[in-house]
Amino acid sequence: MTAIEFPSQRVSLWYFRIALVLFILQVIMGLWLSINYAFTLPQALVDVFAFNTARSIHTNLLVAWMLLGFMGGTYYILPVECERDLYSTRIAYLQLAIFVLAAVTAVIGFLFRWTRGKPLLEIPFPLNALIVVAALLFIANVAMTIFTAKVRSALQWMLLGGVAFLAVMYLFGMPFYQNLNTDYYYWWWVIHLWVEGAWEVVTASIVAFIIMRVTGVDRKVVEKWLYVETGLFLFTGIVGTGHHYYWIGAPDYWLWWGGVFSALEPLPIVLMVVDTWMHVRERKNPIINPLTWYYIVGLAIYHLVGAGLWGFMHTLPPINYYTHGSQVTVSHGHLAFFGAYGILNLTIFYFAMPRLKNIIKYQDRLGRWGFWIMTIGMFLLGLVFGVAGILQTYLERFLDIGYSTAQITMMFWFRIAFGIGVVFLIGVIITVWHLFTIKPAPDQPAETLSSERGPAAEGI
Amino acid sequence: MTGKAARWIFWIGTLSSAVIFLWMTYDFHRQTPTFAHTDRLTADVIAGKKVWHRYNCNDCHTILGFGGYYAPDMTKAFYRLGPNNIATIVMHPEAVYKNSFRKMPQLGVTQPEIAQLNAFLKWVGEIDNRHWPPQDEKFVKAYYQRAASPQNLSKVDIVMGACGGCHSFQNLGRNVAGSFDDIAKRIAYDRATLIRYMLNPQSVKPGIAMPPQNVTPETAGIIADFILALKVPKEVRQ
Ligand SMILES: [Fe+2]
């Protein structure tokens, strides 16, 4: 008896493994950044390996492991949704190789100052071209799998639409814009329309799939929620892009349109929490792996707090006037990225990786430690950055104290952030270790697998 | 709710938002020439933007509030510091920030690149962005008033508007190069020497890391009086 239904689902394993390694590297680099903040480094070191280089590595690794998780997750889900193997596993591996090659070259290039110097989108043009090739291969593979399938589901289209939207938006970050204000206008087409648009669609689809599989709740119900949630995500998120245009030199009405739509952005997330909660309560299947459930529920709550609540407060124009471009953004960024997308990827990994190793019920003691250390650690980190940010805002923008004096006053909090970062890294290492060495629990339920497949498979 | 209604919510929500957004994008492009003064977007400014990207300044410094939060925002840096200071800081950060708790790397930026960077930062400073960041508005005001009508500015504003990018006074300005209270006690320059020092520090104290200041001799006189007055102990001043 195997836990996966189609052999081609196996390609996702390599995506997950590489993503997990990049996750660790990203956090190590983050720790290094916090050292840059918390202590005075010698000029000689700053001259050869400066904060900007480390930051580009930190953020690019983030994007890379997120995308690997999404792509791997899509490859895992798609055969089940389409009731056929992937169109091509060769393409899937080729695409992975190209993507990883580009990512590794980019990181090495950064060390030698080969960069476009545009935050989060630093990758130079030739490597961007490689990324585009990889993305095209991916989308072609996904589309062909869907087109040649005999079954149709809303989830298939939502996934395809989400990843295609994601890829198209990336193109807007590639040209050189002469005008800084236009440059940042389109920079947000990538960054915002990713995290508050395309990525949300992908997340909602993947979560819908996982919830359907583990709870056994009826497909019709899940897909209905999916339509409403993604509809609201895109309705609020697209015009909500305006919350980044308050201070770039744009007409006044952006304050209203951006402010109001972005204030509505938590709505679909609230819906997601509600529907996760309802489906968990009305589940038809027994809970086999409690840790996977922790992640599913944790994702909903963290998503709401980090992205929804923090985002809501930070993007109201009268507040944003003071908090924009301060450590408050750092706080929001960490809580939202980890809460919405970090945990999403880990949910996918905990759902898929045991199955890829034919494990139905896994030993989760270590993984629970990882879960609690990471989630609490990141929450505290968000709070500490938030305190530092409010302090910065108050000192610089109310008391009129200069930047460097304010930063010295914030030093205490940067040191605490460093300490929490160490703890967080430990949580990450535990989690990654646990996922890599995942083992079956001694008490394997014999009949559960078929019952888990049953209702969902029928619904297709 | 039926499945059909859910699908309608999806399509209406997505398309209506997209239409509004695309229209606003069109309008943004229509109005950008006014807000960002594209007529002043010279070849130098564009070259300066490329320099800004080449050295990846943006992953340490925010600009328009975006980027790394590790170093001061650059949106209004031109007003805060002026071209000479920017040139010296960027070319000799290891000297200017010798005593600072946080260092800026020596990036090897060349003289022509500096001129382009200055053109770029000046252009960015002029973007009509609703007076953000709030803490730099005083520098913008002081910059224009120093040129037009220095007599209307309070002494503290004149001094901090010109020198507050590096020096502090009480809790104002930056403490990168020392507070004026301490400096005033330390220096033994007379008024004329101090003015000369401001306009060309090397001529008075060779090797010092301070750049020549972009102030008129009259403004320099006002600043010199201000600093020399600080020599008198606080109690006597009141
Ligand atoms: Fe946003």
Side-chain angles (χ1 to χ4, degrees):
Chain A
M1 182 165 63
T2 58
I4 56 167
E5 295 155 50
F6 298 90
S8 60
Q9 285 179 282
R10 244 172 239 297
V11 295
S12 60
L13 192 56
W14 277 104
Y15 282 78
F16 299 155
R17 285 181 178 149
I18 297 173
L20 284 169
V21 173
L22 298 189
F23 182 26
I24 294 190
L25 294 178
Q26 185 215 346
V27 176
I28 291 176
M29 211 31 92
L31 215 52
W32 174 246
L33 293 176
S34 78
I35 291 176
N36 278 258
Y37 268 106
F39 305 99
T40 296
L41 302 180
Q43 183 78 37
L45 178 58
V46 172
D47 284 347
V48 291
F49 184 55
F51 182 90
N52 56 345
T53 307
R55 185 177 188 265
S56 16
I57 297 177
H58 179 65
T59 51
N60 279 271
L61 285 176
L62 162 73
V63 175
W65 85 269
M66 293 291 130
L67 294 180
L68 283 174
F70 296 168
M71 294 190 292
T74 305
Y75 279 149
Y76 182 87
I77 289 174
L78 214 52
V80 182
E81 276 298 297
C82 295
E83 288 187 1
R84 57 153 290 165
D85 268 307
L86 290 178
Y87 176 71
S88 161
T89 48
R90 290 262 271 305
I91 293 184
Y93 283 122
L94 175 68
Q95 169 223 331
L96 177 66
I98 296 176
F99 189 89
V100 172
L101 175 79
V104 171
T105 316
V107 169
I108 296 173
F110 291 157
L111 295 174
F112 295 95
R113 292 204 198 153
W114 192 39
T115 169
R116 280 174 74 222
K118 198 167 153 167
L120 270 78
L121 306 176
E122 292 96 342
I123 301 186
F125 187 80
L127 297 179
N128 261 337
L130 280 184
I131 298 282
V132 169
V133 171
L136 286 176
L137 288 175
F138 172 66
I139 290 172
N141 206 4
V142 171
M144 286 310 288
T145 310
I146 293 178
F147 293 158
T148 52
K150 295 209 179 55
V151 288
R152 288 278 164 261
S153 75
L155 239 161
Q156 295 169 349
W157 294 104
M158 210 54 103
L159 260 183
L160 178 61
V163 295
F165 181 23
L166 191 165
V168 169
M169 286 304 120
Y170 189 68
L171 301 177
F172 287 93
M174 285 174 55
F176 171 78
Y177 297 90
Q178 300 186 336
N179 180 336
L180 186 77
N181 119 313
T182 310
D183 195 351
Y184 269 114
Y185 188 88
Y186 287 107
W187 191 79
W188 286 111
W189 280 41
V190 188
I191 307 304
H192 171 97
L193 288 176
W194 268 8
V195 297
E196 285 150 86
W199 289 21
E200 295 279 18
V201 175
V202 176
T203 303
S205 314
I206 293 179
V207 168
F209 176 86
I210 293 181
I211 284 187
M212 198 165 68
R213 304 298 292 179
V214 294
T215 60
V217 168
D218 201 31
R219 169 177 289 270
K220 279 214 197 70
V221 179
V222 172
E223 288 193 341
K224 210 153 65 187
W225 283 95
L226 178 62
Y227 269 121
V228 175
E229 282 162 13
T230 44
L232 282 178
F233 270 129
L234 294 172
F235 177 68
T236 58
I238 294 176
V239 176
T241 317
H243 61 215
H244 302 290
Y245 300 156
Y246 301 157
W247 325 113
I248 68 166
D252 283 337
Y253 58 75
W254 283 107
L255 293 178
W256 285 100
W257 288 90
V260 171
F261 275 72
S262 115
L264 295 174
E265 278 186 39
L267 261 180
I269 313 181
V270 171
L271 276 188
M272 243 168 122
V273 174
V274 173
D275 97 276
T276 304
W277 183 245
M278 277 181 24
H279 293 154
V280 169
R281 254 195 14 204
E282 290 160 16
R283 65 179 179 271
K284 302 200 178 110
N285 296 339
I287 292 182
I288 304 169
N289 288 304
L291 183 57
T292 310
W293 293 77
Y294 281 20
Y295 270 100
I296 294 172
V297 175
L299 169 64
I301 296 173
Y302 228 116
H303 194 166
L304 181 63
V305 174
L309 199 61
W310 249 246
F312 174 84
M313 293 188 296
H314 180 42
T315 54
L316 295 170
I319 293 182
N320 191 257
Y321 180 67
Y322 294 105
T323 56
H324 179 53
S326 74
Q327 293 289 325
V328 173
T329 316
V330 178
S331 168
H332 171 52
H334 281 79
L335 288 179
F337 264 107
F338 179 73
Y341 301 117
I343 301 188
L344 168 74
N345 269 2
L346 291 166
T347 308
I348 302 175
F349 302 161
Y350 268 109
F351 175 75
M353 286 176 90
R355 284 172 168 73
L356 287 164
K357 293 186 177 174
N358 298 337
I359 298 170
I360 297 153
K361 179 170 176 163
Y362 56 84
Q363 278 180 15
D364 66 0
R365 201 177 56 85
L366 213 55
R368 281 181 198 232
W369 277 99
F371 175 84
W372 287 113
I373 296 177
M374 283 193 307
T375 49
I376 296 175
M378 185 51 87
F379 189 69
L380 293 177
L381 201 57
L383 285 185
V384 168
F385 286 142
V387 171
I390 290 169
L391 193 61
Q392 177 179 20
T393 301
Y394 182 67
L395 293 173
E396 269 196 72
R397 294 174 182 167
F398 284 90
L399 296 188
D400 221 5
I401 288 174
Y403 179 90
S404 40
T405 316
Q407 294 282 317
I408 290 174
T409 317
M410 291 148 69
M411 201 77 117
F412 171 74
W413 296 99
F414 293 142
R415 292 193 175 150
I416 292 190
F418 167 67
I420 298 173
V422 173
V423 176
F424 183 76
L425 176 62
I426 294 172
V428 172
I429 291 174
I430 291 177
T431 305
V432 173
W433 174 259
H434 181 240
L435 277 166
F436 265 98
T437 61
I438 203 144
K439 287 186 193 62
D443 52 330
Q444 284 296 314
E447 80 294 8
T448 41
L449 185 62
S450 55
S451 78
E452 189 192 315
R453 292 174 72 175
E458 274 165 28
I460 291 172
Chain B
M1 196 192 335
T2 62
K4 203 168 163 196
R7 273 200 296 279
W8 274 106
I9 291 182
F10 174 81
W11 284 111
I12 293 179
T14 306
L15 292 178
S16 63
S17 199
V19 167
I20 299 173
F21 187 61
L22 288 176
W23 187 85
M24 289 187 356
T25 299
Y26 164 75
D27 192 58
F28 170 80
H29 283 293
R30 216 172 47 84
Q31 300 212 38
T32 286
T34 340
F35 282 93
H37 309 293
T38 41
D39 52 323
R40 291 177 220 157
L41 201 63
T42 60
D44 262 358
V45 174
I46 295 165
K49 184 168 185 285
K50 289 187 175 153
V51 176
W52 171 256
H53 290 312
R54 188 172 312 136
Y55 295 98
N56 196 12
C57 314
N58 209 171
D59 262 322
C60 285
H61 291 277
T62 48
I63 195 159
L64 297 173
F66 308 127
Y69 312 96
Y70 188 66
D73 187 86
M74 288 285 115
T75 315
K76 308 286 179 188
F78 190 84
Y79 292 112
R80 193 166 66 226
L81 297 158
N84 290 355
N85 289 329
I86 292 177
T88 306
I89 292 173
V90 176
M91 294 185 77
H92 309 287
E94 72 292 344
V96 177
Y97 295 128
K98 190 175 69 222
N99 300 320
S100 175
F101 71 105
R102 197 176 283 168
K103 312 292 183 200
M104 166 161 157
Q106 166 55 260
L107 294 161
V109 183
T110 64
Q111 195 77 54
E113 285 177 331
I114 288 288
Q116 295 161 341
L117 252 180
N118 269 323
F120 170 65
L121 290 175
K122 179 167 192 299
W123 177 86
V124 171
E126 287 166 357
I127 294 179
D128 189 358
N129 73 336
R130 251 174 242 111
H131 308 295
W132 196 93
Q135 73 271 22
D136 284 348
E137 261 322 274
K138 57 181 181 288
F139 292 112
V140 178
K141 288 213 185 87
Y143 178 89
Y144 287 113
Q145 293 230 343
R146 259 202 321 277
S149 46
Q151 64 282 4
N152 292 350
L153 271 173
S154 88
K155 291 262 163 56
V156 176
D157 282 349
I158 295 181
V159 177
M160 294 327 283
C163 323
C166 299
H167 293 287
S168 63
F169 171 65
Q170 292 166 356
N171 67 356
L172 301 173
R174 302 257 178 82
N175 201 352
V176 167
S179 89
F180 279 134
D181 273 316
D182 297 341
I183 289 178
K185 296 206 185 71
R186 190 177 75 215
I187 55 174
Y189 308 137
D190 59 15
R191 187 172 184 278
T193 316
L194 189 51
I195 294 175
R196 201 152 51 80
Y197 172 82
M198 274 178 243
L199 301 175
N200 186 0
Q202 300 296 330
S203 71
V204 174
K205 196 169 178 187
I208 194 144
M210 178 164 137
Q213 297 301 302
N214 306 88
V215 286
T216 60
E218 299 82 69
T219 311
I222 300 175
I223 298 174
D225 290 336
F226 178 88
I227 294 175
L228 294 174
L230 297 176
K231 275 184 166 305
V232 187
K234 265 206 183 88
E235 305 79 66
V236 183
R237 242 187 283 153
Q238 288 157 356

